[in-house]
Amino acid sequence: MISFQQVTKKYRQKVALDKVNLKLTEGKIIGLVGENGSGKSTMLKLIAGLTYPTKGEVLINEKTVNRRSASIVSYLSELDEYYRFYNVEKTIAFYASQFSDFDLKKAYDILTFMKLDPESKLKELSKGNRGRLKIVLSLARNAPIILMDEPLSGLDPMVRQSIVKGLLSFVDLEKQLVLITTHEIRDLETILDEVIAIKDGTIIGHHNVEQLREEQNLGIVEWMTTIYE
Ligand code: ADP
Ligand code: MG
């Protein structure tokens, strides 16, 4: 469904991604793990059509990604400054007006699960609660591809597990591909179908989590320690 073919992305002289090849199929929750600056956000932006490869191609369903890809890709980079005077409710209404696949009922179901107050102003939300709102907004779209850039950072470690488990109930695992970036793989271990490790713009590992367990008898965290040595 998503394919990277020899994708290199440079920002002036800086190589953010170096000849990345990758194939991702639907119906999976995939973790993209790597240290800060390794190229995770760049990969998501390329899939969302918000930036373009310097060389190579990113394809969705065999078509080159372009700005119109936003209609099938649910992606939120940062909640913009523009909306900081909106409250949660108004922000949800705004997103509902922007995307025809936005499911308002689902948004409020997730909001309730996240224990967010619809009246809160965005500029008053803690980092953790902005993370919760990001999860609400991106999962409320019935889009075939959902990209979440570090949705858990800023959340209290105590609540991460329950939020991660909750995510599952709002994903349509038959139809949707969910790609989540993190630098804390431990939080996602229980829900991932596949894990991809990236380092300095290069994919250094890509595995099916179940196979990893069966064939190499490794959990994701153990696997990570073997490849980052
Ligand atoms: P990650 O999300 O894993 O932290 P990024 O994809 O944001 O990594 O960044 C990869 C590399 O590209 C980093 O070295 C970063 O400094 C650089 N980079 C990202 N965006 C830009 C930009 N707009 N201009 C210049 N360099 C950038
Ligand atoms: Mg990033």
Side-chain angles (χ1 to χ4, degrees):
M1 167 171 229
I2 298 176
S3 126
F4 279 63
Q5 300 182 349
Q6 290 286 101
V7 173
T8 293
K9 174 69 186 176
K10 287 187 195 168
Y11 297 105
R12 296 193 190 86
Q13 293 309 310
K14 170 80 199 172
V15 179
L17 292 178
D18 191 14
K19 299 191 204 85
V20 169
N21 289 302
L22 192 65
K23 271 198 174 21
L24 306 175
T25 52
E26 56 259 51
K28 294 211 172 85
I29 301 191
I30 303 165
L32 178 60
V33 208
E35 293 163 11
N36 286 328
S38 54
K40 302 182 299 293
S41 298
T42 300
M43 284 191 62
L44 298 198
K45 285 175 192 158
L46 286 165
I47 297 168
L50 296 177
T51 188
Y52 296 96
T54 310
K55 275 191 191 155
E57 262 198 305
V58 181
L59 307 165
I60 297 178
N61 297 330
E62 274 111 57
K63 289 194 202 101
T64 306
V65 165
N66 58 36
R67 286 207 71 85
R68 268 180 295 165
S69 306
S71 67
I72 55 165
V73 179
S74 177
Y75 172 66
L76 286 172
S77 50
E78 223 2 273
L79 282 174
D80 292 289
E81 288 287 299
Y82 307 111
Y83 313 129
R84 38 192 252 111
F85 296 105
Y86 278 17
N87 63 17
V88 168
E89 191 169 25
K90 200 161 171 221
T91 306
I92 291 175
F94 174 75
Y95 273 82
S97 74
Q98 295 298 299
F99 299 102
S100 58
D101 60 4
F102 195 94
D103 181 338
L104 208 52
K105 181 181 180 300
K106 192 172 175 188
Y108 278 91
D109 286 347
I110 308 173
L111 191 77
T112 306
F113 171 79
M114 293 290 174
K115 301 193 177 72
L116 273 175
D117 176 3
E119 304 286 332
S120 310
K121 289 243 177 26
L122 259 56
K123 60 173 181 173
E124 288 153 7
L125 292 181
S126 64
K127 188 157 188 262
N129 279 339
R130 283 207 305 276
R132 284 180 161 94
L133 181 58
K134 268 173 86 164
I135 293 171
V136 171
L137 296 172
S138 58
L139 283 180
R141 283 186 59 193
N142 289 317
I145 299 173
I146 296 183
L147 308 176
M148 296 203 223
D149 205 356
E150 313 226 11
L152 303 172
S153 67
L155 288 173
D156 189 321
M158 303 284 279
V159 301
R160 281 187 198 164
Q161 272 314 312
S162 72
I163 287 187
V164 163
K165 293 213 180 83
L167 285 184
L168 276 184
S169 53
F170 300 110
V171 172
D172 183 345
L173 285 169
E174 300 268 301
K175 295 188 195 128
Q176 292 181 310
L177 182 160
V178 183
L179 184 58
I180 309 180
T181 73
T182 181
H183 54 266
E184 256 305 328
I185 190 65
R186 225 169 272 272
D187 293 329
L188 294 175
E189 200 181 8
T190 51
I191 64 163
L192 296 182
D193 299 306
E194 282 179 25
V195 61
I196 303 167
I198 181 169
K199 188 178 185 189
D200 300 330
T202 306
I203 306 287
I204 56 170
H206 181 184
H207 283 284
N208 176 297
V209 174
E210 217 164 278
Q211 265 177 6
L212 203 58
R213 226 167 257 137
E214 282 170 9
E215 291 167 14
Q216 301 186 39
N217 200 21
L218 288 177
I220 307 181
V221 176
E222 293 164 293
W223 171 70
M224 292 288 295
T225 55
T226 67
I227 61 169
Y228 274 104
E229 267 169 357

